[in-house]
Amino acid sequence: MTVTKGDRPTAAARRSRTVLVSFLGAIVRKMGNWMPIAGAVELLTETGLDAPSVRTAVFRLKKRGWLVSESRSGMRGYALTPAALEALATGDEVIWHARQPADLGDGWCFVNFSVPESARALRHQLTAHLTSLGFGNIGSAVWIAPARMLPAAQRAIAELELTEQCAVFVGDYVAGQALPSMVRGGWDLDGIDQRYREFLSEYEGEADRLAEAGVIAGTHAFVTYLSVIDHWRKLPFRDPGLPREVLAEDWSGPAAVQLFERMVTTLEGRALAHAASYWSTQPRTPDRTNAAEPLQRTP
């Protein structure tokens, strides 16, 4: 089927989808894996999304098998399915790896595959899966990542039923091309570093303002927290947490990790408390606290 321009998701639709996924992972899982649809829509409109796009994003995730209709305490809502919980947990694993550099002494995981031309679509899917896990490409159909990525690679291969077409190894670097040079050829390190620097530029000032604020409004905490989570979770999927020994001395990843964890520590409890009021059948008390200024982003 030919995809026309009108069939492609708009930028607003893509943002609604990514913010909703971040919301499911950061908020809904901690609220018992269920959300009231009216409350969720109202909450997400606080982030600047419009209600119809949120409902459309929910509908699409339901079609993908992530959500199932379920009412609780007289409120219509949706529960996360096992497939959604598994996908979100897999994402957590990748994000955690990027926050914790691999130990060079643990070695490397190599994946080599030979998929026939008749199965080109599967070959592209496998390449996309490995890339999203943070594997780097160092040769024709040869992909590499720290050894701890072995289980994730095996899952990706098994899901596509390509086990017989792949060879997977774990081993140590012994000699030959210098590791830093090989790593630079396999990953877009400049691009990854730039995205970490953009994260730092966008949120360092806000982190300082939050630290100085006597009181942080619940709405502000929720909106800022979800913004940080949504921005951050896209970064590590190109960075498997390479050993520090193979990276440049001014690699910005550690500073970005420190800022991310600082903001989560500051905002998570307040954001969840604000969200919890939308899970209740009782009337909410308006959030009139304005001790924290609205999120200011560096141009």
Side-chain angles (χ1 to χ4, degrees):
M1 180 180 68
T2 302
V3 178
T4 66
K5 184 177 180 180
D7 294 327
R8 300 191 186 104
T10 64
R14 287 193 297 271
R15 179 170 181 264
S16 296
R17 183 178 66 248
T18 65
V19 173
L20 176 59
V21 170
S22 297
F23 176 73
L24 296 179
I27 303 294
V28 175
R29 278 191 299 178
K30 296 178 181 179
M31 296 291 186
N33 300 325
W34 177 87
M35 66 180 184
I37 185 58
V41 170
E42 190 175 350
L43 257 177
L44 289 171
T45 58
E46 293 179 358
T47 70
L49 301 179
D50 62 86
S53 69
V54 173
R55 291 183 181 277
T56 298
V58 168
F59 173 74
R60 288 177 175 166
L61 284 182
K62 183 181 179 183
K63 286 185 66 177
R64 284 178 55 186
W66 275 46
L67 298 169
V68 60
S69 298
E70 182 179 311
S71 295
R72 295 186 182 180
S73 302
M75 294 186 292
R76 292 178 56 248
Y78 291 92
L80 292 170
T81 65
L85 292 171
E86 181 179 356
L88 291 168
T90 299
D92 289 346
E93 183 180 357
V94 175
I95 290 170
W96 177 252
H97 282 165
R99 291 162 61 185
Q100 298 292 321
D103 186 336
L104 185 61
D106 290 342
W108 301 86
C109 173
F110 296 86
V111 176
N112 175 251
F113 58 86
S114 178
V115 181
E117 184 66 19
S118 59
R120 182 191 303 178
L122 282 176
R123 184 171 62 205
H124 289 328
Q125 287 183 57
L126 179 57
T127 297
H129 274 30
L130 293 175
T131 301
S132 70
L133 290 172
F135 274 73
N137 182 217
I138 60 170
S140 178
V142 179
W143 297 76
I144 181 175
R148 65 187 181 187
M149 298 305 292
L150 173 62
Q154 289 176 311
R155 283 196 301 269
I157 292 168
E159 287 172 5
L160 294 173
E161 299 181 351
L162 289 175
T163 302
E164 295 300 319
Q165 286 76 38
C166 297
V168 184
F169 303 87
V170 171
D172 298 323
Y173 168 79
V174 178
Q177 181 183 16
L179 268 177
S181 176
M182 182 194 70
V183 166
R184 181 159 291 280
W187 283 268
D188 178 15
L189 295 182
D190 290 339
I192 296 170
D193 186 67
Q194 179 59 32
R195 286 189 284 273
Y196 281 135
R197 292 182 188 278
E198 290 169 355
F199 181 85
L200 288 164
S201 176
E202 184 155 1
Y203 293 109
E204 276 181 321
E206 176 67 8
D208 291 339
R209 285 189 289 274
L210 291 170
E212 295 170 359
V215 178
I216 301 173
T219 300
H220 183 76
F222 171 77
V223 171
T224 308
Y225 175 68
L226 196 58
S227 174
V228 169
I229 294 293
D230 191 53
H231 190 150
W232 178 264
R233 75 177 184 85
K234 302 166 190 172
L235 301 182
F237 282 89
R238 294 293 183 271
D239 175 11
L242 295 167
R244 288 290 295 124
E245 293 91 334
V246 303
L247 297 170
E249 290 185 7
D250 63 348
W251 178 250
S252 59
V257 167
Q258 185 177 35
L259 175 61
F260 172 73
E261 295 182 341
R262 175 187 172 192
M263 295 200 76
V264 168
T265 298
T266 300
L267 295 169
E268 184 175 46
R270 295 176 172 91
L272 289 171
H274 176 71
S277 66
Y278 290 77
W279 263 248
S280 172
T281 57
Q282 301 300 316
R284 289 187 301 279
T285 302
D287 184 354
R288 304 185 185 280
T289 308
N290 293 307
E293 295 295 324
L295 179 64
Q296 300 293 318
R297 297 189 177 183
T298 305

